[in-house]
Amino acid sequence: MKDSVTTNPFGQPLTEIKGKPGIIWGNVVVPASGRSKITIKLLDDLLQTRITLAYGLENKEIYTRLDDIGSIEIVEGRLWWLLWLGLATIGVYLIGIIFIVLFLFIKQRWIVIYAKSVNLVVFYNKAENVEQFRTTVLAALR
């Protein structure tokens, strides 16, 4: 996935990130299925979020006030649900071994923006762009 704004030599703040949406189930973060896309854009005192699910069949647009944002979390790690799924299905023709091996080799990165009414999750590829976006949002909060 390509981020919409790249680092420029003039030091302009990064106001938009793109990636794949995620879902929070309890304490587990799971990427959305299919060819889903998410774009989060900083507009003055709002975060505009556009989510397009599976071939554009469903579109969602969310506006979040910056005052409602409680915290921003950047995470890099394993998808623990793969391990638990592997352990749960280990007895079914040993298919669980596939999930356990995937758990060991797949490492993903995501950012979670916690707001009062919604949690925005974006799985991304370029860490430096997300860190610049976080810095821009935190500067706008001040």
Side-chain angles (χ1 to χ4, degrees):
M1 273 173 250
K2 184 179 177 187
D3 293 284
S4 64
V5 180
T6 57
T7 307
N8 59 31
F10 303 114
Q12 294 178 349
L14 185 67
T15 60
E16 182 176 323
I17 58 171
K18 291 184 178 184
K20 185 173 182 168
I23 302 167
I24 298 177
W25 288 346
N27 291 332
V28 179
V29 177
V30 180
S33 63
R35 298 184 181 265
S36 305
K37 296 178 183 177
I38 185 170
T39 302
I40 300 179
K41 189 179 209 178
L42 180 63
L43 304 171
D44 295 328
D45 63 339
L46 295 173
L47 275 184
Q48 176 191 31
T49 306
R50 288 188 177 159
I51 303 171
T52 304
L53 299 176
Y55 305 106
L57 296 175
E58 183 179 334
N59 295 318
K60 189 186 302 185
E61 193 165 349
I62 304 167
Y63 288 92
T64 308
R65 291 183 350 182
L66 289 181
D67 296 340
D68 291 345
I69 294 176
S71 62
I72 300 174
E73 179 180 30
I74 295 178
V75 183
E76 180 177 342
R78 308 277 181 221
L79 296 174
W80 288 92
W81 62 273
L82 285 172
L83 178 64
W84 302 123
L85 186 62
L87 293 174
T89 59
I90 195 98
V92 182
Y93 300 111
L94 299 176
I95 197 165
I97 293 174
I98 295 170
F99 294 117
I100 294 171
V101 169
L102 288 174
F103 167 77
L104 295 173
F105 288 104
I106 295 177
K107 194 171 187 181
Q108 293 194 330
R109 295 181 233 157
W110 63 91
I111 181 172
V112 183
I113 300 173
Y114 295 100
K116 292 179 183 175
S117 59
V118 68
N119 296 326
L120 305 171
V121 181
V122 179
F123 284 84
Y124 63 89
N125 290 329
K126 294 185 178 180
E128 62 274 358
N129 288 350
V130 170
E131 291 170 2
Q132 288 177 358
F133 178 76
R134 177 190 58 186
T135 303
T136 302
V137 171
L138 291 175
L141 281 170
R142 293 182 194 150

